[in-house]
């Protein structure tokens, strides 16, 4: 299978590498040509335009930042995509945009999947991402071998937008757990317990969670400001998605926002 990939950032680059290492023919193009330098030692075919990449690919994965970026890149790819090919959005966005993209491509006979991933760059490099898929089950099954090149788990959740909804719930629950940890650490500190040792022992017991295990591993004093900003952006996407769906989720939004907002202070308190 010929697989195109657009968006070679922190997470997209190791995903594209995994696709090539799994034996697929990898086709690349990027709005920033220097991003392709990360594939220097990986077999791939470089293209001078999005249209060239699209014409050479059966499946094209996108790992770009915003709904606007997704639609912009899709508009560049669509004229070159053949009927029956598949466009996949691996980034985090609104379910409504997944539906919009599906309808946009349908007139050209191009299938669309929303397949956001969870796990971050370390999981991408180790081929253990979780990929949450929305769209046609038949098309999802056809693309699953590609997804499995960089994933430990691939789960189809329903029609267009279902993958994005699941990813947003995933991110929001992580942030809500961070808020719980921050509150307990503050209480423990006031009782004279050493917060860092408490967190380490909680990681070993039934209270363990991904939110705990990421502290002082992936979430460090050096990375926390960037990660907190990403979480704040995810909160905006979640809030927009809930408003689009007519769902009242104010309490969840407040709790998750607190988790994102308090993360830098929590990490500082737990620093060695």
């Amino acid at each position: 299978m010929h697989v195109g990939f657009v968006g070679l950032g922190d997470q997209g680059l190791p995903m594209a590498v995994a696709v090539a290492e799994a034996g697929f023919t990898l086709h690349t193009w990027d709005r920033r040509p220097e991003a392709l330098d990360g594939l220097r030692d990986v077999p791939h075919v470089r293209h001078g335009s999005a249209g060239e990449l699209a014409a050479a690919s059966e499946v094209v994965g996108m790992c770009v930042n915003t709904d606007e970026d997704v639609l912009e890149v899709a508009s560049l790819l669509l004229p070159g995509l053949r009927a029956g090919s598949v466009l996949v959005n691996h980034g985090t966005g609104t379910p409504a945009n997944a539906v919009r993209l599906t309808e946009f491509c349908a007139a050209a006979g191009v299938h669309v999947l929303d397949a956001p991933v969870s796990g971050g760059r370390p999981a991408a490099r180790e081929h253990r991402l979780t990929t949450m898929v929305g769209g046609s089950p038949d098309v999802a099954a056809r693309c699953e071998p590609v997804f499995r090149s960089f994933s430990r788990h691939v789960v189809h959740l329903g029609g267009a937008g279902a993958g994005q909804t699941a990813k947003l719930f995933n991110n929001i629950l992580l942030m809500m757990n961070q808020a719980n940890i921050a509150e307990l650490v503050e209480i423990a500190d006031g009782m004279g317990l050493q917060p860092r040792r408490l967190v380490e022992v909680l990681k070993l017991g039934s209270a363990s969670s991904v939110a705990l295990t990421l502290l002082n591993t992936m979430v460090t004093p050096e990375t926390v400001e960037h990660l907190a900003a990403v979480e704040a952006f995810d909160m905006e996407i979640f809030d927009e998605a809930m408003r689009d769906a007519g769902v009242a989720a104010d309490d969840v939004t407040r709790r998750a926002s607190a988790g994102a907002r308090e993360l830098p202070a929590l990490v500082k308190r737990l620093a060695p």
Side-chain angles (χ1 to χ4, degrees), residues 2 54-59 77-86 108-111:
H2 289 255
S57 305
E58 300 163 67
V59 175
L77 292 167
L78 190 57
L81 290 170
R82 297 186 299 274
S85 58
V86 187
V110 173
H111 305 292

Side-chain angles (χ1 to χ4, degrees), residues 170-171 173-186 188 194-220 227 231 259 263 266-267 270-271:
N170 173 85
N171 292 1
L173 186 55
L174 172 69
M175 290 181 240
M176 293 173 74
N177 287 340
Q178 288 170 184
N180 295 337
I181 295 165
E183 285 189 10
L184 288 177
V185 164
E186 184 173 357
Q194 297 181 33
R196 186 158 57 90
R197 296 193 70 182
L198 173 65
V199 165
E200 291 307 313
V201 77
L202 290 176
K203 292 179 182 180
L204 302 174
S206 58
S208 184
S209 66
V210 171
L212 274 169
T213 58
L214 291 179
L215 293 171
N216 285 331
T217 54
M218 182 176 163
V219 184
T220 67
L227 294 173
E231 290 189 350
L263 186 60
L266 173 62
V267 169
L270 298 176

Side-chain angles (χ1 to χ4, degrees), residues 27-72:
H27 296 265
T28 62
W29 167 82
D30 203 277
R31 292 175 295 176
R32 299 178 303 109
E34 64 273 15
L36 300 176
D37 293 344
L39 294 172
R40 188 178 296 109
D41 300 323
V42 179
H44 66 287
V45 182
R46 295 192 181 195
H47 295 276
S49 70
E52 289 179 11
L53 176 145
S57 305
E58 300 163 67
V59 175
V60 179
M62 299 184 294
C63 199
V64 296
N65 290 329
T66 67
D67 282 354
E68 291 73 21
D69 289 330
V70 168
L71 293 175
E72 178 186 340

Side-chain angles (χ1 to χ4, degrees), residues 3-7 11-12 15 19 59-64 70 87-93 113-118 129-133 143 146-147 150-151 164 167:
V3 179
F5 209 96
V6 179
Q11 193 154 263
M15 291 168 67
V19 169
V59 175
V60 179
M62 299 184 294
C63 199
V64 296
V70 168
L87 186 59
V88 184
N89 178 21
H90 290 299
T92 302
L113 296 175
D114 50 293
V117 296
S118 178
L129 290 168
T130 294
T131 300
M132 310 171 198
V133 187
C143 295
V146 179
F147 300 160
F150 47 76
S151 305
Q164 294 294 4
K167 177 64 189 300

